[in-house]
Amino acid sequence: MIRVEHLEKKFGSLTVLKDINIEIKKGEVISIIGPSGTGKSTFLRCLNLLEHPTSGKIFIDEVDILDKNTDVPKMRQKMGMVFQSFNLFNHLSVIDNLTIGPIKLLGKSKGEAEKRAMELLKVVGLAEKANSHADELSGGQKQRVAIARCLSMDPEIILFDEPTSALDPTMVSEVLAVIRKLAREGMTLAIVTHEMDFARDVSNRVLYMDEGLIYEDGSPEQIFGNPQREKTKSFINRIRSFNYHIDSPDFDLYKMNAEIELFCEKHAFSHKVMKDILLVIEELLMLYKTQLKIFDVDLRVAYSEKHNNIEITFDNLGEEGNILDKADEDDIGVMIIKNKAEKIEFQRIEEKNRLIILLK
Ligand code: ADP
Ligand code: MG
């Protein structure tokens, strides 16, 4: 359905896309992941010609869309795009947002367009908001309207550019649920996303972008479970763990806890697991405060696929050895940590003490 050959895009002297080659087949659900600034948005924008590629070819249904004789508006209609920032017409009602395109660009009658719009609002769960003003809606509702508006143009593929990044965390799932539904119904989708769990279970193919290339291309099982190339590996491992460096006993505990909570939410850890993580970390840092001569701790929270639970690792520079052994038996902090742990392991690695706590 879409074939991209040697696509290159430069902004002045900056080469963002070096050499992109890819084929997207009808019905595929593709997630595009990678660090920010690697050209994911630029790639989507080149596909539907919001940006003009510097060189290379893009074919849609075998039509060369960069050929100067190609009817660009017609080609662009085949590709809907959903942006991070919704881009609705805020001064119009919800239903008018959905009918304006089909009436003006597809030549539909008002009645026809409204009938289809109501069907689509049902699909995204917003039929009762048809006559509301777009700016009266919540972010999650706006984004669902944006998806319905996209569908109203009968696209062959929808390109999503981080559709949930601008949303309040409580609204992410309602939007993801709608995208899941489209995927199940066989719509062709390309989704740039930071929601890794979503990418993993919704898509049948994952592209990891880096260095201006599609650096690795594979099934979700391959990319998330067994990435082959160096940069993919480090990206996947980084997003699955939370790392924090503490270099003063007076560090900002609230800031650290807020970041841990965000990490837990992102990975859909239960509330109980999150509380346990926070508790164990806080108790251990209290112990470090009383015992460490040099306060230099690297903390890591990671989901261990092997054990199917959470592993918290503390690295500190120093000669102390295992501080859990040094503390009093009846120290309340030690008791809490032991109570929450399935297993506690101590390792001495070069100049460092490493304590690994596997949560129950
Ligand atoms: P991603 O979506 O992966 O975060 P982008 O495609 O937004 O990356 O951007 C890739 C690079 O291209 C960035 O360095 C960005 O600053 C640059 N860039 C994007 N759009 C433009 C533009 N219109 N003009 C100049 N530089 C741009
Ligand atoms: Mg982007």
Side-chain angles (χ1 to χ4, degrees):
M1 181 172 161
I2 298 182
R3 194 167 80 247
V4 176
E5 291 176 359
H6 305 297
L7 180 70
E8 185 194 42
K9 177 65 186 174
K10 291 184 181 175
F11 291 110
S13 60
L14 177 72
T15 304
V16 176
L17 303 177
K18 258 189 223 154
D19 184 13
I20 302 273
N21 295 285
I22 175 120
E23 221 172 302
I24 299 177
K25 298 199 180 69
K26 202 169 161 50
E28 276 193 310
V29 177
I30 297 184
S31 291
I32 302 168
I33 61 169
S36 62
T38 47
K40 302 180 298 297
S41 296
T42 304
F43 174 51
L44 291 190
R45 294 169 64 82
C46 283
L47 279 184
N48 77 350
L49 298 176
L50 289 172
E51 295 286 356
H52 195 82
T54 307
S55 65
K57 287 194 181 306
I58 302 173
F59 298 91
I60 295 182
D61 297 331
E62 297 305 323
V63 176
D64 177 356
I65 64 169
L66 299 173
D67 187 292
K68 58 182 186 311
N69 297 318
T70 301
D71 181 352
V72 170
K74 186 161 161 256
M75 282 296 138
R76 200 178 274 154
Q77 272 169 28
K78 293 181 178 225
M79 286 173 286
M81 183 129 175
V82 174
F83 302 90
Q84 192 175 324
S85 51
F86 328 127
N87 296 13
L88 293 180
F89 302 115
N90 279 320
H91 60 290
L92 296 183
S93 68
V94 166
I95 189 142
D96 287 348
N97 265 280
L98 268 67
T99 55
I100 187 169
I103 292 170
K104 291 206 163 151
L105 300 169
L106 301 182
K108 284 194 181 178
S109 70
K110 190 159 188 277
E112 227 183 330
E114 283 182 350
K115 183 164 169 277
R116 177 75 179 135
M118 284 313 296
E119 284 167 19
L120 292 171
L121 286 175
K122 281 186 191 138
V123 170
V124 301
L126 289 168
E128 65 173 26
K129 297 286 183 194
N131 295 310
S132 302
H133 249 242
D135 55 12
E136 295 166 50
L137 304 180
S138 73
Q141 291 170 333
K142 280 185 186 160
Q143 194 60 304
R144 286 185 283 148
V145 171
I147 295 171
R149 184 182 56 178
C150 211
L151 291 167
S152 75
M153 295 298 289
D154 297 320
E156 292 183 22
I157 179 170
I158 304 183
L159 312 173
F160 289 91
D161 193 0
E162 299 194 24
T164 60
S165 293
L167 297 178
D168 188 286
T170 57
M171 295 171 187
V172 169
S173 64
E174 66 192 53
V175 172
L176 296 184
V178 167
I179 302 175
R180 270 201 182 88
K181 190 161 161 184
L182 299 180
R184 267 201 310 273
E185 287 167 3
M187 186 80 207
T188 313
L189 308 174
I191 313 158
V192 173
T193 184
H194 289 297
E195 301 285 338
M196 295 301 146
D197 296 323
F198 170 72
R200 190 175 185 147
D201 68 42
V202 79
S203 41
N204 42 37
R205 192 165 158 207
V206 178
L207 309 181
Y208 173 72
M209 276 186 71
D210 209 328
E211 297 184 342
L213 302 167
I214 294 175
Y215 185 87
E216 196 164 337
D217 176 350
S219 68
E221 294 73 30
Q222 277 166 328
I223 300 290
F224 291 108
N226 188 20
Q228 296 300 305
R229 299 191 64 193
E230 218 39 59
K231 291 206 165 176
T232 324
K233 278 185 201 166
S234 77
F235 181 79
I236 297 296
N237 287 333
R238 187 160 52 78
I239 53 146
R240 270 193 289 183
S241 68
F242 169 87
N243 297 280
Y244 202 85
H245 181 75
I246 305 159
D247 56 9
S248 152
D250 302 317
F251 74 100
D252 187 343
L253 176 71
Y254 295 105
K255 177 167 174 281
M256 182 189 77
N257 283 355
E259 289 185 27
I260 294 173
E261 284 177 23
L262 202 67
F263 170 77
C264 291
E265 271 168 24
K266 234 180 163 154
H267 293 268
F269 294 169
S270 71
H271 195 69
K272 179 188 176 297
V273 167
M274 182 173 87
K275 289 284 169 216
D276 286 354
I277 293 171
L278 292 171
L279 185 62
V280 166
I281 290 174
E282 191 167 347
E283 292 303 336
L284 204 67
L285 289 174
M286 295 284 276
L287 277 179
Y288 280 142
K289 265 193 194 184
T290 60
Q291 301 210 15
L292 294 194
K293 291 192 195 76
I294 318 162
F295 205 90
D296 187 291
V297 181
D298 275 307
L299 164 70
R300 181 179 140 93
V301 180
Y303 175 72
S304 158
E305 211 137 278
K306 196 164 119 213
H307 298 100
N308 189 27
N309 59 5
I310 306 295
E311 199 174 75
I312 309 174
T313 307
F314 296 85
D315 280 338
N316 80 286
L317 281 172
E319 304 292 327
E320 291 81 9
N322 186 349
I323 65 159
L324 288 179
D325 289 345
K326 293 194 160 182
D328 287 337
E329 272 287 300
D330 56 357
D331 181 294
I332 185 89
V334 177
M335 283 180 353
I336 291 173
I337 294 165
K338 289 191 171 160
N339 176 261
K340 294 288 176 194
E342 171 86 36
K343 194 173 142 203
I344 299 177
E345 217 179 289
F346 175 77
Q347 298 166 356
R348 180 82 195 159
I349 301 171
E350 289 161 11
E351 310 282 277
K352 282 188 200 160
N353 301 302
R354 170 168 291 179
L355 203 55
I356 305 171
I357 299 173
L358 203 61
L359 290 189
K360 266 182 190 158

